[in-house]
Amino acid sequence: MTYQEEFITFMVRSGVLTFGDFTTKSGRKTPYFINTGNYKTGAQAGKLGDYYAACIQENLPEGVDCLFGPAYKGIPLAVAAASSLYRNYGRDLPYCFNRKEAKDHGEGGSMVGYKPQAGDRVVIVEDVVTAGTAVRETIELFKSVAAVDLTALIVSVDRMERGTGDKTTLDELREQHGIRVFPIVTVREVIAFLHNHSIDGKVYIDDEMKGRMEAYLAEYGARA
């Protein structure tokens, strides 16, 4: 299997990628849900870092000075990705993350870990981007930290849904802020791989579920 197919299998086995009836934060009724909060073991963290690192290595083999994980879910992702990049590819990249509230004692400030410098090429490591709020907050945050180049965003799954307009949220981030976006997998790749394909003896996307997911994308997906 490709690392993308391995990642889809990993999400299913971890209980992170689930199918049924769910409601997103925006109120959309969705037949599938991705809850990265279900990752909870050291083994899972290690494997998750490997998939993020593989995506970074494939799409950004050079030109990266720092990984940034937006609080809170992005913090373990950035740490795991940095560890895996060193372990698997010999790339020792610094990482940092933000505090939700700036520290008013000790060294102070809102950043933990590496202190980004002007001109640094920073890659944001996130889980799943829906409205892009955390990414836009990160852009604002760095305006008061250093004049860095927010060069790319790595996400686990591109849901391929519309943002505030007719385009996907990730496409909006690309166009509005010049950030390159690289998902480990897209929802289309999830459908293609899991349709009538069993994992541990169970088919998660049968013809009925595929139809529901296609209908959801027809309603909420990007419009040409």
Side-chain angles (χ1 to χ4, degrees), residues 113-135:
Y114 173 72
K115 300 299 185 286
Q117 306 297 308
D120 279 350
R121 295 159 297 184
V122 176
V123 170
I124 305 169
V125 183
E126 261 281 33
D127 57 351
V128 179
V129 172
T130 303
T133 303
V135 178

Side-chain angles (χ1 to χ4, degrees), residues 23-28 130 161 216:
T23 302
T24 66
K25 273 186 180 178
S26 59
R28 295 174 179 176
T130 303
E161 294 179 33
Y216 182 81

Side-chain angles (χ1 to χ4, degrees), residues 53-101:
C55 185
I56 293 169
Q57 184 66 16
E58 177 180 71
N59 295 289
L60 298 161
E62 56 186 21
V64 179
D65 297 309
C66 170
L67 301 183
F68 173 76
Y72 289 102
K73 285 186 177 180
I75 296 173
L77 298 180
V79 174
S83 298
S84 184
L85 279 169
Y86 176 69
R87 185 172 62 250
N88 295 335
Y89 305 102
R91 297 176 68 181
D92 188 14
L93 295 180
Y95 63 84
C96 60
F97 54 90
N98 63 304
R99 296 184 175 94
K100 283 289 189 178
E101 296 180 0

Side-chain angles (χ1 to χ4, degrees), residues 14-67:
S14 300
V16 168
L17 173 59
T18 55
F19 302 90
D21 296 289
F22 309 95
T23 302
T24 66
K25 273 186 180 178
S26 59
R28 295 174 179 176
K29 304 293 184 181
T30 175
Y32 74 102
F33 193 68
I34 300 156
N35 181 12
T36 55
N38 281 345
Y39 293 124
K40 50 187 175 287
T41 72
Q44 289 173 337
K47 288 298 295 180
L48 187 58
D50 288 345
Y51 296 122
Y52 273 92
C55 185
I56 293 169
Q57 184 66 16
E58 177 180 71
N59 295 289
L60 298 161
E62 56 186 21
V64 179
D65 297 309
C66 170
L67 301 183

